[in-house]
Amino acid sequence: MIYLDWNATAPLRPAARSAWLAAQDTSWGNPSSVHGIGQRARAAIDGAKTAMARLLGCRGYELVLTSGGSEANALAIHAALSLDPQRNSIVASAIEHSSVLRNASARGALTVVGVDPVGRIDPAALAAACGPATALVCFQYANNEIGTLQEIPALIAAVRAVAPAALILLDAAQGAGKRPLHLGALGVDFASIAGHKFGAPLGAGLLYARTGLKVPPLIHGGRQQQDRRSGTEDVAGAVALAAALGDALHDSAQSEERCRNLLDSCFSTIAAELPEAAWIARAAPRLGHTLSLAHPGIDQTALVQRLDLAGIAVSTGAACMAARGEPSHVLRALGIASELARGAIRVSIGHQTTTSELDAFAAAYVREVRLMLR
Ligand SMILES: Cc1ncc(COP(=O)(O)O)c(C=O)c1O
């Protein structure tokens, strides 16, 4: 099987696998236990947090272990809305992940800010949406469907100028591990990280909450993690998360450049055969690992199934939405004509992807699209 769906989840990195196995063998205790076996587990968690803090430019106690990006987003939204009952509204861009949009609208009054045709948020539009009741402003580092990067410092400055009391959540699920992030210097209040996007095991993520912020728990219980998230910590998951992050960042710049070149040449091959093929949001500053590829007159779900039968795994968009067959809110927000959006698939790659895999994909894509257009 050729796996071209890395934005859904990335294969486990060998460094993360061996760190996980070693931690299961040596640090399997309950980190809250007073005895030595527990304290060994506690030391493993503390070591993992310290290592991740160094990699992310923050402090160890600013990191809360979560089950992934969705929980981190939910916890930040919950925390921001708990601070002041007068401030109960949330501003978010139209292309946020469903875990931001759905948690926000379930918990507060949500104002959605549109994006331009390549998915960029206008700082002035973001600022205009903020008001005295704004508790939290949410935007992402990079989009999971089209890869568009936001101009984070300009967005932060715009929000701080008009709403100094509002908190800022950066959903970095598609940025962490792919680009170096210095969360402390960036100046956001919260950031969400999903380890499985960069080769950590599924179920290991982080919420960064800057020093001084109160984070009341969504999960009550044994008051683990400074009473910000109860539940016995996943020690091996945390250790593997730290190993994956270090490994991913080690050569992230070269890896991204290589991915960018691979996708550029893959698209050129396809476009030479199918002149109506379109690369959505290609003109945006974007992560080099993502190609949002569309063709009019095609049913995206049928195409993904045909490619799957041909041994190639791609996606119609966000994995959670693809499973439900819902149209992409991201492509709608970009103003992509529905005829083209219906024919869009996401190709997302990573450091293990090879030229011959993408050659095989390009050939299969051209073949299947031609058959479907007959
Ligand atoms: C931008 C973005 N935010 C949040 C999430 C949710 O992360 P998780 O699947 O770890 O809950 C994802 C996952 O697809 C994502 O791409």
Side-chain angles (χ1 to χ4, degrees), residues 7-9 67-73 95-100 140-145 171-175 192-197 202-205 318-320 346:
N7 285 9
T9 199
S67 61
S70 300
E71 187 191 332
N73 284 332
I95 61 169
E96 294 310 301
H97 188 260
S98 54
S99 60
V100 168
Q140 36 184 224
Y141 184 89
N143 184 267
N144 45 312
E145 291 186 37
D171 179 354
Q174 295 289 347
S192 302
I193 291 173
H196 67 100
K197 307 291 186 186
L202 285 158
C320 40
R346 178 182 70 183

Side-chain angles (χ1 to χ4, degrees), residues 13-49:
R13 285 180 180 263
R17 183 174 185 276
S18 45
W20 190 90
L21 287 170
Q24 286 290 29
D25 284 344
T26 60
S27 310
W28 49 268
N30 184 323
S32 299
S33 298
V34 172
H35 48 65
I37 291 172
Q39 289 312 295
R40 203 176 309 149
R42 161 71 41 223
I45 293 246
D46 290 348
K49 281 193 176 175

Side-chain angles (χ1 to χ4, degrees), residues 42-321:
R42 161 71 41 223
I45 293 246
D46 290 348
K49 281 193 176 175
T50 303
M52 290 189 283
R54 209 170 35 241
L55 293 164
L56 294 168
C58 64
R59 301 184 176 123
Y61 57 81
E62 292 176 316
L63 298 175
V64 183
L65 297 166
T66 66
S67 61
S70 300
E71 187 191 332
N73 284 332
L75 184 54
I77 288 165
H78 167 74
L81 290 174
S82 308
L83 292 179
D84 176 353
Q86 302 301 311
R87 285 192 287 119
N88 59 0
S89 88
I90 297 174
V91 173
S93 95
I95 61 169
E96 294 310 301
H97 188 260
S98 54
S99 60
V100 168
L101 295 173
R102 299 195 68 217
N103 274 295
S105 55
R107 297 293 308 271
L110 173 64
T111 304
V112 174
V113 177
V115 292
D116 75 8
V118 294
R120 297 269 279 180
I121 307 165
D122 174 13
L126 193 67
C130 297
T134 305
L136 184 69
V137 180
C138 312
F139 44 84
Q140 36 184 224
Y141 184 89
N143 184 267
N144 45 312
E145 291 186 37
I146 54 176
T148 296
L149 296 158
Q150 300 301 332
E151 209 182 317
I152 311 290
L155 296 178
I156 295 173
V159 170
R160 299 286 189 225
V162 297
L167 300 176
I168 295 177
L169 164 63
L170 178 69
D171 179 354
Q174 295 289 347
K178 294 180 177 163
R179 293 240 172 140
L181 280 176
H182 297 281
L183 295 172
L186 205 51
V188 294
D189 299 293
F190 298 108
S192 302
I193 291 173
H196 67 100
K197 307 291 186 186
F198 53 84
L202 285 158
L206 292 171
L207 175 67
Y208 159 81
R210 75 158 165 76
T211 301
L213 277 184
K214 200 166 155 23
V215 181
L218 267 176
I219 304 171
H220 295 269
R223 297 201 171 93
Q224 286 90 344
Q225 303 205 64
Q226 289 83 34
D227 203 13
R228 295 174 295 182
R229 198 240 196 204
S230 283
T232 304
E233 296 94 327
D234 175 3
V235 181
V239 170
L241 180 58
L245 186 59
D247 198 47
L249 287 175
H250 176 64
D251 65 348
S252 58
Q254 296 95 302
S255 175
E256 182 176 356
E257 201 44 38
R258 202 183 70 85
C259 289
R260 191 181 296 280
N261 293 334
L262 283 176
L263 289 178
D264 279 351
S265 108
C266 174
F267 182 73
S268 301
T269 308
I270 289 170
E273 299 288 329
L274 298 169
E276 283 190 280
W279 183 331
I280 292 170
R282 185 180 196 176
R286 41 179 189 82
L287 283 180
H289 320 76
T290 307
L291 159 60
S292 176
L293 178 61
H295 198 287
I298 293 294
D299 174 60
Q300 54 185 180
T301 306
L303 177 57
V304 166
Q305 287 164 348
R306 293 172 83 118
L307 289 169
D308 187 40
L309 289 174
I312 299 170
V314 294
S315 160
T316 55
C320 40
M321 293 302 186

